[in-house]
Amino acid sequence: AAVTQNNGEQVILQGGRSYLLTHRNWKFEKFMSLKIQTDKLTSITATSADNIIMKVTSTVVWRIVDVRQAATLAAETMATSGRRQDVNADIEKLREDVLEQAIASLASFIGSVNYSDSFHLAAAAQSSAAASAVGVPLETPALARAHMSSGDNPMFDVNRMKNAVEHANDITLKYGVCVLSINIISANPVDANLSKALASGAVASAEALMAETAARGRSKAQMIDVEANANARKVEAQAEADAMLVIAQSSADAARIEAQGKKEAADLLSTSEVATKLSVMDKEAAI
C-alpha cells in the first residue's frame, strides 16, 4: 500500500492498482509492505516462575493488517526536516515497536513457566516408554493430564505460547499490526552448574522409575506364569475326566449290547422248537 498526503490529509492507496495524483499538493509519502515479516529477536535473559534465569533466542512473525492505523499511529511517514528524501523507505520504527512488544510478551510467558518441570516430565516420559515396552501401565491420571496440558517441555508448549501471542496482539493490533507467532529457538539456564544439577536429578528420577517398572514387569510375569500353570492343571483334569467318562460310556454300551444279544438268543429259542430241543440236549449232555 502507498501512503500519500492530500492537502495535509493522509490518504492510503491500496496496492495492485495504478493511481494518478491529480494536483501538486497531493504527494506520495512512502510504501508500506503488507507481506508477512519474520524477525529474529535479540537474545534475552528472563526469569522463569521457579526463579531460574534463562537465556532465550526466538523469532517473531507478524504483518500489517490495517495500513491506516499503522501509518497514523506507528510508522514514520514524514521527515521532521520536511524534505521527502529524508523519509526512511523502510518501516524501521514500526518494526522496532513490534519487536519490543514481542520481547515483553515472551518475557511474560517465560515468567509463568516452571522450567524445572521439564526435567521431571522428561523422566516420566522415559519411564512411560519403558512401561509400554513391558505392557505395565505406570502413569497416574494426574500425570497423564499434566502431559496432555504441558507437553514434554513447557518452554516449547505451543498452546501456552499462544497466550504470549495474544498478549502481544492486545497492544500491536491497536496500531494495525497482527503478531502471527512467537517461536522459541533455544532456552537454556545461564548457570551451567544448575543445568547439570537438574539433568542429574532427571537421570536419577528416570532410573528410579525404570527400576519400579522392571519390578512391576517381573511381578506381572510371575502372575502370568501362575495363571498358565493353573490353566494347564485345569486342562489336564478336564482331560482325565473326559477320558473316564468315555471309558464308562464304552463299558455301558458293551454291557447293553451283550444283554441285547442274550435277549435276542432267548427269544429265538422260545420261538423255534428245534432250537429248544437242541438246547435241552446240550444241557443234558453237560450234566
Side-chain angles (χ1 to χ4, degrees), residues 22 28 30 60 72 83 94 101-102 124-125 140 157 166 176 188 190 200 202 218 228 259 265-266 280 282:
T22 55
F28 168 79
K30 71 183 301 179
V60 59
T72 302
R83 295 191 298 271
L94 179 62
Q101 180 57 49
T140 63
D157 188 344
E166 293 174 357
N188 300 301
V190 174
S200 299
R218 288 192 297 269
V280 171
D282 287 339

Side-chain angles (χ1 to χ4, degrees), residues 74-112:
E76 291 182 344
T77 58
M78 296 179 62
T80 55
S81 63
R83 295 191 298 271
R84 185 190 307 174
Q85 59 270 23
D86 292 342
V87 178
N88 191 346
D90 193 12
I91 49 176
E92 183 176 352
K93 178 183 180 301
L94 179 62
R95 188 185 306 276
E96 289 179 356
D97 291 343
V98 173
L99 297 185
E100 290 296 328
Q101 180 57 49
I103 290 174
S105 299
L106 180 60
S108 176
F109 164 74
I110 295 172
S112 66

Side-chain angles (χ1 to χ4, degrees), residues 108-129:
S108 176
F109 164 74
I110 295 172
S112 66
V113 171
N114 286 315
Y115 179 72
S116 58
D117 286 349
S118 62
F119 292 89
H120 302 302
L121 290 172
Q126 292 177 6
S127 64
S128 298

Side-chain angles (χ1 to χ4, degrees), residues 25-241:
N25 289 333
W26 191 358
K27 299 179 181 179
F28 168 79
E29 297 292 343
K30 71 183 301 179
F31 287 113
M32 295 189 68
S33 175
L34 299 181
K35 292 183 178 180
I36 294 177
Q37 312 285 331
T38 301
D39 292 289
K40 183 177 181 180
L41 299 177
T42 56
S43 180
I44 66 170
T45 55
T47 304
S48 65
D50 47 358
N51 294 320
I52 298 176
I53 300 177
M54 308 289 299
K55 183 177 182 181
V56 182
T57 58
S58 57
T59 61
V60 59
V61 182
W62 59 279
R63 67 182 294 266
I64 298 174
V65 293
D66 191 328
V67 179
R68 186 176 300 279
Q69 279 189 312
T72 302
L73 301 176
E76 291 182 344
T77 58
M78 296 179 62
T80 55
S81 63
R83 295 191 298 271
R84 185 190 307 174
Q85 59 270 23
D86 292 342
V87 178
N88 191 346
D90 193 12
I91 49 176
E92 183 176 352
K93 178 183 180 301
L94 179 62
R95 188 185 306 276
E96 289 179 356
D97 291 343
V98 173
L99 297 185
E100 290 296 328
Q101 180 57 49
I103 290 174
S105 299
L106 180 60
S108 176
F109 164 74
I110 295 172
S112 66
V113 171
N114 286 315
Y115 179 72
S116 58
D117 286 349
S118 62
F119 292 89
H120 302 302
L121 290 172
Q126 292 177 6
S127 64
S128 298
S132 62
V134 296
V136 179
L138 182 61
E139 284 189 338
T140 63
L143 186 56
R145 288 193 296 271
H147 276 213
M148 293 174 62
S149 61
S150 300
D152 288 340
N153 190 335
M155 293 296 295
F156 296 92
D157 188 344
V158 177
N159 293 326
R160 295 179 65 180
M161 183 59 73
K162 289 180 181 178
N163 295 331
V165 174
E166 293 174 357
H167 181 273
N169 281 327
D170 287 342
I171 301 300
T172 59
L173 286 175
K174 294 178 180 179
Y175 51 83
V177 172
C178 177
V179 175
L180 302 179
S181 68
I182 300 174
N183 308 300
I184 293 179
I185 306 301
S186 64
N188 300 301
V190 174
D191 189 348
N193 293 328
L194 177 61
S195 297
K196 293 180 180 178
L198 290 172
S200 299
V203 171
S205 178
E207 290 177 350
L209 290 172
M210 290 178 66
E212 181 182 355
T213 301
R216 292 190 180 189
R218 288 192 297 269
S219 175
K220 187 172 183 179
Q222 292 176 356
M223 185 180 298
I224 292 173
D225 191 21
V226 171
E227 290 179 354
N229 291 334
N231 290 332
R233 288 195 297 269
K234 181 179 178 180
V235 170
E236 183 179 358
Q238 184 65 39
E240 291 178 357

Side-chain angles (χ1 to χ4, degrees), residues 243-254:
M244 293 176 65
L245 179 60
V246 169
I247 293 172
Q249 289 179 345
S250 299
S251 299
D253 290 341

